[in-house]
């Protein structure tokens, strides 16, 4: 048993080094996580500190810029670099936590629907179809308008709109796996249904869940930024990349850096997560195992 771990680690490392996009994605995601974790130590200024005498300063390489504010300042004199660094915390928090919420709901429903079938399967799948018929943005806008925008509300709204993808994927895999010999053998010796689901079915669908959830984090970060841009996401004084974009939309013609740099942060992070998701798909695919 102890010999499998090193070989597995070597395989993962070999696949990572073999894939240029996977390597790039891994280090981008690692960098963003480290920035978010150590934001209080990396940010040169307080992201909420207002300085009326320092408004709309350009980046340091432009005329009028200063190394004290490397990426310039916004319309209230707040440091753009510091706000981007702190914004990574909320964007990652919302992206990852909402995917966890969606995964718990979707995987549970998918396992139950696929394993039991019949009336339960039809009922749960009609529920899935109902959610698929509702536009995600419209649903999020309605819920956030009714309950008020906040980080907690945003997490649960995004989780409630994304779980259907997991439910459909897991159900499809369970329909195949439950007909295999090891599941039939467990059922024949009297193993209870909930134990078959948790011990035999769940471990066999978890790899697909990891891949799709990784890619869903990228989508959720974009969706959070969109809602914050519309004013229905993260509210001041909390900083997110979407809220920074929203602050800079009225100054695109004169102060391009207000929206450009947070936009680049979102783009680079999303690309890194997508590259990492593609690499994980190769690693977790049994057909990629080479002796």
């Amino acid at each position: 048993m102890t010999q499998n771990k090193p070989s597995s680690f070597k395989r993962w490392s070999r696949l990572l080094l073999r894939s240029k996009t996977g390597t790039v994605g891994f280090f981008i995601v690692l960098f963003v996580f480290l920035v978010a974790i150590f934001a209080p130590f990396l940010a040169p200024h307080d992201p909420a500190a207002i300085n009326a005498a320092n408004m709309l300063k350009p980046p340091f390489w432009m005329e009028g810029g200063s190394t004290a504010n490397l990426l310039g300042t916004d319309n209230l004199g707040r440091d753009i670099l510091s706000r981007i660094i702190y914004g990574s915390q909320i964007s990652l928090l919302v992206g990852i936590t909402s995917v966890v919420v969606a995964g718990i709901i979707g995987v549970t429903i998918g396992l139950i629907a696929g394993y039991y079938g019949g009336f339960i399967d039809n009922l749960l799948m009609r529920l899935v179809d109902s959610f698929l018929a509702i536009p995600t943005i419209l649903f999020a806008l309605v819920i956030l308008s009714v309950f008020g925008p906040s980080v907690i509300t945003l997490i649960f709204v995004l989780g409630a709109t994304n779980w259907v993808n997991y439910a459909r994927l897991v159900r499809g895999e369970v329909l195949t796996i439950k007909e295999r010999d090891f599941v039939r053998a467990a059922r024949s010796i009297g193993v209870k249904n909930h134990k078959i689901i948790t011990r035999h079915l769940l471990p066999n669908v978890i790899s697909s869940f990891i891949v799709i959830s990784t890619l869903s984090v990228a989508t959720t970060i974009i969706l959070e930024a969109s809602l914050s841009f519309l004013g229905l996401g993260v509210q001041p004084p909390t900083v997110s990349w979407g809220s920074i974009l929203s602050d800079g939309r009225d100054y695109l013609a004169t102060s391009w850096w207000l929206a450009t740099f947070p936009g680049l942060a979102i783009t680079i992070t999303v690309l890194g997560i997508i590259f990492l998701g593609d690499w994980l798909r190769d690693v977790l695919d049994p057909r990629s195992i080479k002796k």
Side-chain angles (χ1 to χ4, degrees):
M1 295 296 294
T2 56
Q3 294 179 353
N4 292 333
K5 293 183 179 179
S7 62
S8 178
F9 176 77
K10 289 180 180 179
R11 183 176 70 86
W12 282 56
S13 302
R14 185 170 61 250
L15 285 172
L16 176 61
L17 295 176
R18 186 182 301 167
S19 171
K20 293 181 180 179
T21 56
T23 304
V24 172
F26 174 80
F27 283 107
I28 288 176
V29 173
L30 178 63
F31 175 76
V32 175
F33 266 94
L34 291 176
V35 168
I37 292 171
F38 297 103
F41 305 99
L42 296 175
H45 302 281
D46 182 350
I50 297 175
N51 186 354
N54 204 33
M55 296 187 302
L56 299 177
K57 291 289 184 180
F60 74 95
W61 64 84
M62 296 179 62
E63 183 179 355
S66 170
T67 54
N69 304 106
L70 293 177
L71 300 183
T73 61
D74 63 6
N75 57 311
L76 297 177
R78 297 171 296 190
D79 183 62
I80 295 295
L81 176 60
S82 299
R83 290 177 64 77
I84 291 175
I85 291 174
Y86 271 91
S88 64
Q89 294 181 325
I90 297 299
S91 295
L92 289 179
L93 173 66
V94 173
I96 295 173
T97 309
S98 61
V99 166
V100 170
V101 172
I104 293 173
I105 299 172
V107 171
T108 302
I109 291 178
L111 286 170
I112 295 173
Y115 181 74
Y116 288 102
F119 173 76
I120 295 177
D121 182 26
N122 290 329
L123 178 63
L124 292 177
M125 287 303 99
R126 297 299 76 75
L127 178 63
V128 169
D129 293 339
S130 300
F131 269 85
L132 286 174
I134 303 174
T136 301
I137 290 290
L138 179 60
F139 177 79
L141 288 174
V142 171
I143 298 299
L144 289 170
S145 299
V146 172
F147 293 97
S150 69
V151 174
I152 301 298
T153 306
L154 188 60
I155 288 172
F156 281 99
V157 166
L158 296 178
T161 56
N162 292 329
W163 65 268
V164 292
N165 298 322
Y166 302 100
R168 291 170 66 91
L169 173 70
V170 171
R171 172 187 175 270
E173 295 203 1
V174 170
L175 288 174
T176 302
I177 297 172
K178 75 175 184 178
E179 300 300 329
R180 294 182 182 175
D181 292 338
F182 68 91
V183 176
R184 290 182 176 181
R187 192 183 297 119
S188 66
I189 62 176
V191 178
K192 295 182 178 180
N193 290 331
H194 71 274
K195 290 185 178 180
I196 293 177
I197 292 174
T198 56
R199 295 182 182 179
H200 298 286
L201 298 180
L202 180 59
N204 282 280
V205 301
I206 199 67
S207 60
S208 299
F209 164 73
I210 292 174
V211 173
I212 192 174
S213 62
T214 303
L215 299 175
S216 293
V217 170
T219 305
T220 307
I221 288 176
I222 295 176
L223 188 55
E224 178 276 324
S226 301
L227 292 172
S228 296
F229 182 82
L230 295 173
L232 290 172
V234 178
Q235 299 297 299
T238 306
V239 185
S240 74
W241 290 335
S243 63
I244 303 174
L245 278 173
S246 179
D247 292 339
R249 61 184 171 181
D250 295 329
Y251 300 89
L252 289 175
T254 56
S255 303
W256 55 266
W257 56 89
L258 271 69
T260 299
F261 293 123
L264 286 174
I266 294 172
T267 303
I268 293 172
T269 302
V270 168
L271 283 176
I273 294 173
I274 291 173
F275 291 159
L276 182 61
D278 289 339
W279 171 67
L280 284 174
R281 181 185 56 197
D282 295 335
V283 170
L284 296 173
D285 186 350
R287 293 172 296 182
S288 68
I289 299 176
K290 296 183 179 180
K291 296 182 180 180

